[in-house]
Amino acid sequence: MHNQLLSLAIEKNTKSLFKGFLFLVEDLQSEHTIHFNKLRQSLPEEYHSLLNQANYMDEEKLNHIRKRILDIGNDAIRNIESELNKFTIHFNFKQ
């Protein structure tokens, strides 16, 4: 039972960590879009196709990065669980 509490605490904090990474990626994508739009507005239309080619942070790329973050986070949770199972842990709870 106490090991489950420890596992849940570790899982909760690990999920919080990779959710933070997801927010950072969304912030980067937003900044990228803002600056690419500024660049698009400042360039003559003849360069827009070249700018489209240079725009690497499209929805497909963003989804790929999100998936990788989630995969890495889930792998970390599984690995931690596996490592915890190798130990016998006794708890002394504070009053």
Side-chain angles (χ1 to χ4, degrees):
M1 163 136 175
H2 297 114
N3 285 357
Q4 288 177 324
L5 291 175
L6 179 60
S7 292
L8 288 174
I10 291 170
E11 182 177 339
K12 177 183 171 187
N13 285 290
T14 303
K15 285 182 179 182
S16 176
L17 178 66
F18 66 86
K19 282 180 185 178
F21 289 141
L22 290 172
F23 289 133
L24 287 173
V25 168
E26 289 174 3
D27 289 348
L28 284 171
Q29 197 271 341
S30 177
E31 288 292 318
H32 174 83
T33 299
I34 289 167
H35 292 289
F36 253 75
N37 286 338
K38 286 180 183 178
L39 187 57
R40 184 181 318 284
Q41 291 172 357
S42 67
L43 288 174
E45 192 164 331
E46 64 192 69
Y47 295 106
H48 286 191
S49 64
L50 185 59
L51 193 58
N52 289 338
Q53 289 177 21
N55 187 1
Y56 62 91
M57 188 64 94
D58 58 8
E59 199 63 33
E60 182 180 337
K61 182 68 169 181
L62 187 62
N63 287 334
H64 173 75
I65 293 170
R66 283 184 189 127
K67 182 183 181 319
R68 293 287 295 137
I69 290 170
L70 293 173
D71 288 345
I72 290 167
N74 288 327
D75 285 345
I77 290 170
R78 280 191 292 276
N79 291 339
I80 290 168
E81 287 290 324
S82 175
E83 291 298 317
L84 280 178
N85 288 331
K86 295 177 182 177
F87 299 95
T88 301
I89 303 171
H90 299 282
F91 295 91
N92 289 323
F93 292 96
K94 295 180 181 180
Q95 297 297 335

